[in-house]
Amino acid sequence: MPEAPPPEARMPQARTPQTRAPEERAYHHGDLRRALLDAAVALIAERGTAAISLRDLARRAGVSHAAPAHHFKDKSGLFTAIAAEGHRLLAASIEAEAVPASKELLEMGVRYVRFALAHPAHFEVMFQPGLLRRDDPDLRAAQAQTGELLRSGLPLGTPVPDAESSALAAWSLAHGFATLCLSGNVSRFIGERDPADAFRDIVRASP
């Protein structure tokens, strides 16, 4: 009869950092959730939201197919996390530099355009409620933060109904210009000029 293997050979071997699955190594050495978000943003920038799948995301991040679902449950959860992050990035951009009160609303619009051009994937996701879990607490808090910041650029003492209308008008102007820039519909009008600077000049020239 063949000899039985020694007891230590029958014992399951401990998994070393080299033999762990990629997502386990990511947990050990960094932030897997961060890596998945970064990979998702890159995919959205390349393909748009409609072409994203959790399987593609796992492949791009180099992790198991189950890893994205573990963190985000589904695509809606993934997009919600990206949107919340986008609102926080937008808030940081708006608050980046103090400006005179008389120019505050205009400069907020300029920073809004700069944000959209610097973070097109976040921008694409942030304002598509059909992609998101609209009752997600993290998303709602981030949206409230950017909303308050944008309203804070209005002159002090503006009545509430007028403030809401003015904030909507200012947002529409900046958002529309940013969207036209991202879709390639502005370059023939502004040439080589920086789009955010062009936006500032257009608003200043308006009646």
PDB file of all heavy atoms in Angstrom, residues 146-169:
ATOM      1  N   THR A 146     -24.104  70.813  -2.515  1.00  0.00           N
ATOM      2  CA  THR A 146     -23.874  71.610  -3.721  1.00  0.00           C
ATOM      3  C   THR A 146     -25.030  72.592  -3.947  1.00  0.00           C
ATOM      4  O   THR A 146     -24.801  73.726  -4.378  1.00  0.00           O
ATOM      5  CB  THR A 146     -23.706  70.713  -4.963  1.00  0.00           C
ATOM      6  OG1 THR A 146     -24.813  69.809  -5.066  1.00  0.00           O
ATOM      7  CG2 THR A 146     -22.427  69.919  -4.889  1.00  0.00           C
ATOM      8  N   GLY A 147     -26.249  72.174  -3.653  1.00  0.00           N
ATOM      9  CA  GLY A 147     -27.380  73.082  -3.809  1.00  0.00           C
ATOM     10  C   GLY A 147     -27.255  74.311  -2.932  1.00  0.00           C
ATOM     11  O   GLY A 147     -27.499  75.443  -3.382  1.00  0.00           O
ATOM     12  N   GLU A 148     -26.863  74.105  -1.684  1.00  0.00           N
ATOM     13  CA  GLU A 148     -26.705  75.233  -0.769  1.00  0.00           C
ATOM     14  C   GLU A 148     -25.582  76.150  -1.225  1.00  0.00           C
ATOM     15  O   GLU A 148     -25.688  77.384  -1.137  1.00  0.00           O
ATOM     16  CB  GLU A 148     -26.417  74.713   0.648  1.00  0.00           C
ATOM     17  CG  GLU A 148     -27.626  74.139   1.351  1.00  0.00           C
ATOM     18  CD  GLU A 148     -28.744  75.161   1.504  1.00  0.00           C
ATOM     19  OE1 GLU A 148     -28.443  76.320   1.889  1.00  0.00           O
ATOM     20  OE2 GLU A 148     -29.904  74.836   1.211  1.00  0.00           O
ATOM     21  N   LEU A 149     -24.498  75.571  -1.713  1.00  0.00           N
ATOM     22  CA  LEU A 149     -23.384  76.394  -2.181  1.00  0.00           C
ATOM     23  C   LEU A 149     -23.801  77.259  -3.363  1.00  0.00           C
ATOM     24  O   LEU A 149     -23.466  78.447  -3.426  1.00  0.00           O
ATOM     25  CB  LEU A 149     -22.208  75.497  -2.581  1.00  0.00           C
ATOM     26  CG  LEU A 149     -21.340  74.972  -1.439  1.00  0.00           C
ATOM     27  CD1 LEU A 149     -20.342  73.948  -1.962  1.00  0.00           C
ATOM     28  CD2 LEU A 149     -20.603  76.125  -0.760  1.00  0.00           C
ATOM     29  N   LEU A 150     -24.518  76.667  -4.308  1.00  0.00           N
ATOM     30  CA  LEU A 150     -24.940  77.431  -5.481  1.00  0.00           C
ATOM     31  C   LEU A 150     -25.904  78.557  -5.089  1.00  0.00           C
ATOM     32  O   LEU A 150     -25.825  79.673  -5.614  1.00  0.00           O
ATOM     33  CB  LEU A 150     -25.585  76.504  -6.504  1.00  0.00           C
ATOM     34  CG  LEU A 150     -24.619  75.516  -7.184  1.00  0.00           C
ATOM     35  CD1 LEU A 150     -25.379  74.492  -8.000  1.00  0.00           C
ATOM     36  CD2 LEU A 150     -23.618  76.260  -8.056  1.00  0.00           C
ATOM     37  N   ARG A 151     -26.801  78.269  -4.157  1.00  0.00           N
ATOM     38  CA  ARG A 151     -27.728  79.311  -3.703  1.00  0.00           C
ATOM     39  C   ARG A 151     -27.008  80.401  -2.915  1.00  0.00           C
ATOM     40  O   ARG A 151     -27.445  81.555  -2.900  1.00  0.00           O
ATOM     41  CB  ARG A 151     -28.851  78.698  -2.869  1.00  0.00           C
ATOM     42  CG  ARG A 151     -29.930  78.016  -3.708  1.00  0.00           C
ATOM     43  CD  ARG A 151     -31.121  77.606  -2.863  1.00  0.00           C
ATOM     44  NE  ARG A 151     -30.797  76.497  -1.990  1.00  0.00           N
ATOM     45  CZ  ARG A 151     -30.903  75.214  -2.335  1.00  0.00           C
ATOM     46  NH1 ARG A 151     -31.335  74.888  -3.536  1.00  0.00           N
ATOM     47  NH2 ARG A 151     -30.605  74.252  -1.475  1.00  0.00           N
ATOM     48  N   SER A 152     -25.902  80.045  -2.279  1.00  0.00           N
ATOM     49  CA  SER A 152     -25.182  81.031  -1.471  1.00  0.00           C
ATOM     50  C   SER A 152     -24.547  82.122  -2.323  1.00  0.00           C
ATOM     51  O   SER A 152     -24.152  83.173  -1.802  1.00  0.00           O
ATOM     52  CB  SER A 152     -24.088  80.337  -0.642  1.00  0.00           C
ATOM     53  OG  SER A 152     -23.006  79.915  -1.466  1.00  0.00           O
ATOM     54  N   GLY A 153     -24.443  81.899  -3.633  1.00  0.00           N
ATOM     55  CA  GLY A 153     -23.889  82.926  -4.499  1.00  0.00           C
ATOM     56  C   GLY A 153     -24.856  84.035  -4.832  1.00  0.00           C
ATOM     57  O   GLY A 153     -24.464  85.059  -5.410  1.00  0.00           O
ATOM     58  N   LEU A 154     -26.123  83.864  -4.498  1.00  0.00           N
ATOM     59  CA  LEU A 154     -27.124  84.902  -4.774  1.00  0.00           C
ATOM     60  C   LEU A 154     -26.969  86.057  -3.792  1.00  0.00           C
ATOM     61  O   LEU A 154     -26.496  85.874  -2.666  1.00  0.00           O
ATOM     62  CB  LEU A 154     -28.530  84.307  -4.657  1.00  0.00           C
ATOM     63  CG  LEU A 154     -28.863  83.208  -5.665  1.00  0.00           C
ATOM     64  CD1 LEU A 154     -30.198  82.569  -5.297  1.00  0.00           C
ATOM     65  CD2 LEU A 154     -28.910  83.766  -7.076  1.00  0.00           C
ATOM     66  N   PRO A 155     -27.370  87.260  -4.178  1.00  0.00           N
ATOM     67  CA  PRO A 155     -27.277  88.415  -3.270  1.00  0.00           C
ATOM     68  C   PRO A 155     -28.042  88.154  -1.974  1.00  0.00           C
ATOM     69  O   PRO A 155     -29.124  87.553  -1.982  1.00  0.00           O
ATOM     70  CB  PRO A 155     -27.914  89.555  -4.072  1.00  0.00           C
ATOM     71  CG  PRO A 155     -27.771  89.136  -5.505  1.00  0.00           C
ATOM     72  CD  PRO A 155     -27.888  87.639  -5.500  1.00  0.00           C
ATOM     73  N   LEU A 156     -27.481  88.621  -0.876  1.00  0.00           N
ATOM     74  CA  LEU A 156     -28.141  88.465   0.416  1.00  0.00           C
ATOM     75  C   LEU A 156     -29.485  89.176   0.408  1.00  0.00           C
ATOM     76  O   LEU A 156     -29.625  90.257  -0.174  1.00  0.00           O
ATOM     77  CB  LEU A 156     -27.260  89.030   1.528  1.00  0.00           C
ATOM     78  CG  LEU A 156     -25.972  88.260   1.825  1.00  0.00           C
ATOM     79  CD1 LEU A 156     -25.146  88.999   2.883  1.00  0.00           C
ATOM     80  CD2 LEU A 156     -26.303  86.851   2.305  1.00  0.00           C
ATOM     81  N   GLY A 157     -30.457  88.563   1.038  1.00  0.00           N
ATOM     82  CA  GLY A 157     -31.768  89.178   1.146  1.00  0.00           C
ATOM     83  C   GLY A 157     -32.687  88.892  -0.022  1.00  0.00           C
ATOM     84  O   GLY A 157     -33.813  89.404  -0.052  1.00  0.00           O
ATOM     85  N   THR A 158     -32.243  88.077  -0.972  1.00  0.00           N
ATOM     86  CA  THR A 158     -33.118  87.733  -2.096  1.00  0.00           C
ATOM     87  C   THR A 158     -34.295  86.921  -1.576  1.00  0.00           C
ATOM     88  O   THR A 158     -34.098  85.924  -0.881  1.00  0.00           O
ATOM     89  CB  THR A 158     -32.354  86.897  -3.143  1.00  0.00           C
ATOM     90  OG1 THR A 158     -31.197  87.611  -3.559  1.00  0.00           O
ATOM     91  CG2 THR A 158     -33.246  86.615  -4.353  1.00  0.00           C
ATOM     92  N   PRO A 159     -35.543  87.327  -1.845  1.00  0.00           N
ATOM     93  CA  PRO A 159     -36.701  86.553  -1.364  1.00  0.00           C
ATOM     94  C   PRO A 159     -36.631  85.106  -1.843  1.00  0.00           C
ATOM     95  O   PRO A 159     -36.113  84.820  -2.927  1.00  0.00           O
ATOM     96  CB  PRO A 159     -37.892  87.286  -1.992  1.00  0.00           C
ATOM     97  CG  PRO A 159     -37.391  88.658  -2.284  1.00  0.00           C
ATOM     98  CD  PRO A 159     -35.937  88.506  -2.616  1.00  0.00           C
ATOM     99  N   VAL A 160     -37.176  84.202  -1.047  1.00  0.00           N
ATOM    100  CA  VAL A 160     -37.045  82.776  -1.344  1.00  0.00           C
ATOM    101  C   VAL A 160     -37.543  82.402  -2.737  1.00  0.00           C
ATOM    102  O   VAL A 160     -36.838  81.729  -3.492  1.00  0.00           O
ATOM    103  CB  VAL A 160     -37.757  81.937  -0.258  1.00  0.00           C
ATOM    104  CG1 VAL A 160     -37.793  80.466  -0.670  1.00  0.00           C
ATOM    105  CG2 VAL A 160     -37.037  82.091   1.076  1.00  0.00           C
ATOM    106  N   PRO A 161     -38.753  82.818  -3.155  1.00  0.00           N
ATOM    107  CA  PRO A 161     -39.195  82.430  -4.508  1.00  0.00           C
ATOM    108  C   PRO A 161     -38.248  82.942  -5.584  1.00  0.00           C
ATOM    109  O   PRO A 161     -37.925  82.229  -6.538  1.00  0.00           O
ATOM    110  CB  PRO A 161     -40.586  83.069  -4.627  1.00  0.00           C
ATOM    111  CG  PRO A 161     -41.037  83.258  -3.214  1.00  0.00           C
ATOM    112  CD  PRO A 161     -39.796  83.589  -2.445  1.00  0.00           C
ATOM    113  N   ASP A 162     -37.787  84.196  -5.431  1.00  0.00           N
ATOM    114  CA  ASP A 162     -36.849  84.757  -6.405  1.00  0.00           C
ATOM    115  C   ASP A 162     -35.510  84.043  -6.344  1.00  0.00           C
ATOM    116  O   ASP A 162     -34.857  83.841  -7.369  1.00  0.00           O
ATOM    117  CB  ASP A 162     -36.644  86.251  -6.141  1.00  0.00           C
ATOM    118  CG  ASP A 162     -37.907  87.055  -6.408  1.00  0.00           C
ATOM    119  OD1 ASP A 162     -38.791  86.544  -7.129  1.00  0.00           O
ATOM    120  OD2 ASP A 162     -37.999  88.181  -5.899  1.00  0.00           O
ATOM    121  N   ALA A 163     -35.077  83.674  -5.144  1.00  0.00           N
ATOM    122  CA  ALA A 163     -33.803  82.987  -4.990  1.00  0.00           C
ATOM    123  C   ALA A 163     -33.827  81.641  -5.702  1.00  0.00           C
ATOM    124  O   ALA A 163     -32.863  81.265  -6.385  1.00  0.00           O
ATOM    125  CB  ALA A 163     -33.482  82.805  -3.506  1.00  0.00           C
ATOM    126  N   GLU A 164     -34.930  80.917  -5.546  1.00  0.00           N
ATOM    127  CA  GLU A 164     -35.022  79.610  -6.200  1.00  0.00           C
ATOM    128  C   GLU A 164     -35.019  79.771  -7.721  1.00  0.00           C
ATOM    129  O   GLU A 164     -34.345  79.017  -8.437  1.00  0.00           O
ATOM    130  CB  GLU A 164     -36.298  78.897  -5.749  1.00  0.00           C
ATOM    131  CG  GLU A 164     -36.278  78.447  -4.293  1.00  0.00           C
ATOM    132  CD  GLU A 164     -35.175  77.438  -4.016  1.00  0.00           C
ATOM    133  OE1 GLU A 164     -34.947  76.541  -4.856  1.00  0.00           O
ATOM    134  OE2 GLU A 164     -34.532  77.552  -2.964  1.00  0.00           O
ATOM    135  N   SER A 165     -35.739  80.749  -8.223  1.00  0.00           N
ATOM    136  CA  SER A 165     -35.782  80.979  -9.667  1.00  0.00           C
ATOM    137  C   SER A 165     -34.420  81.430 -10.187  1.00  0.00           C
ATOM    138  O   SER A 165     -33.963  80.970 -11.252  1.00  0.00           O
ATOM    139  CB  SER A 165     -36.837  82.035 -10.003  1.00  0.00           C
ATOM    140  OG  SER A 165     -38.123  81.583  -9.654  1.00  0.00           O
ATOM    141  N   SER A 166     -33.763  82.302  -9.452  1.00  0.00           N
ATOM    142  CA  SER A 166     -32.454  82.797  -9.877  1.00  0.00           C
ATOM    143  C   SER A 166     -31.409  81.690  -9.842  1.00  0.00           C
ATOM    144  O   SER A 166     -30.567  81.587 -10.739  1.00  0.00           O
ATOM    145  CB  SER A 166     -32.015  83.954  -8.975  1.00  0.00           C
ATOM    146  OG  SER A 166     -32.901  85.045  -9.092  1.00  0.00           O
ATOM    147  N   ALA A 167     -31.474  80.851  -8.811  1.00  0.00           N
ATOM    148  CA  ALA A 167     -30.526  79.738  -8.717  1.00  0.00           C
ATOM    149  C   ALA A 167     -30.732  78.763  -9.874  1.00  0.00           C
ATOM    150  O   ALA A 167     -29.763  78.267 -10.468  1.00  0.00           O
ATOM    151  CB  ALA A 167     -30.697  79.026  -7.378  1.00  0.00           C
ATOM    152  N   LEU A 168     -31.996  78.499 -10.204  1.00  0.00           N
ATOM    153  CA  LEU A 168     -32.288  77.595 -11.319  1.00  0.00           C
ATOM    154  C   LEU A 168     -31.799  78.179 -12.641  1.00  0.00           C
ATOM    155  O   LEU A 168     -31.222  77.478 -13.472  1.00  0.00           O
ATOM    156  CB  LEU A 168     -33.790  77.313 -11.389  1.00  0.00           C
ATOM    157  CG  LEU A 168     -34.249  76.407 -12.543  1.00  0.00           C
ATOM    158  CD1 LEU A 168     -33.563  75.045 -12.471  1.00  0.00           C
ATOM    159  CD2 LEU A 168     -35.771  76.243 -12.514  1.00  0.00           C
ATOM    160  N   ALA A 169     -31.986  79.469 -12.826  1.00  0.00           N
ATOM    161  CA  ALA A 169     -31.537  80.112 -14.059  1.00  0.00           C
ATOM    162  C   ALA A 169     -30.015  80.060 -14.178  1.00  0.00           C
ATOM    163  O   ALA A 169     -29.472  79.756 -15.251  1.00  0.00           O
ATOM    164  CB  ALA A 169     -32.026  81.564 -14.092  1.00  0.00           C
TER     165      ALA A 169
END
